[in-house]
Amino acid sequence: MSDFTTKPRIDIKPKTQKPRLHKVILLNDDYTPREFVVTVLKGEFRMSEEQAHRVMMTAHRRGACVVAVYPKEVAETKATRATDAARQKGYPLLFTTEPEEA
């Protein structure tokens, strides 16, 4: 017999984590027309008229509303594009992002 001991081969599979999701949040302001907010929600977030109106009214009543949840890069891009669309029209409408709780 040989003096070698053999160990069983162990395959280690790396665990890949899902990307952390971020919420896109619509902040209410008293200057941006409601119709414009609905237009932005429909255009950037692909909402129906009814969904967009519901989100806009929730933000109006509560001061803020979660619009959607995406991976970080997508959330930041959509929030920036929606905010930029408002700035181009001269409105102070603001969309922000924050990490979703695990």
Side-chain angles (χ1 to χ4, degrees):
M1 297 248 329
S2 69
D3 294 333
F4 296 105
T5 58
T6 57
K7 295 182 181 178
R9 183 175 172 175
I10 300 172
D11 289 333
I12 300 174
K13 295 181 182 178
K15 292 184 178 180
T16 55
Q17 291 182 333
K18 292 183 180 180
R20 190 167 180 195
L21 297 176
H22 281 64
K23 300 181 276 190
V24 178
I25 301 168
L26 166 61
L27 301 176
N28 183 54
D29 68 74
D30 294 329
Y31 303 101
T32 306
R34 293 177 180 187
E35 297 80 21
F36 182 78
V37 177
V38 170
T39 300
V40 170
L41 291 170
K42 286 170 52 180
E44 188 60 43
F45 298 97
R46 307 269 189 225
M47 292 185 176
S48 68
E49 181 87 24
E50 182 181 324
Q51 288 174 314
H53 188 268
R54 206 172 325 125
V55 167
M56 180 269 304
M57 288 306 296
T58 301
H60 179 71
R61 287 188 199 111
R62 296 185 179 176
C65 181
V66 174
V67 176
V69 179
Y70 299 104
K72 181 179 180 180
E73 295 78 20
V74 175
E76 289 176 348
T77 299
K78 287 190 171 285
T80 300
R81 287 175 48 171
T83 299
D84 288 348
R87 296 293 182 271
Q88 289 176 357
K89 295 288 186 177
Y91 299 126
L93 184 64
L94 182 62
F95 289 83
T96 63
T97 63
E98 68 180 42
E100 185 176 50
E101 292 83 28

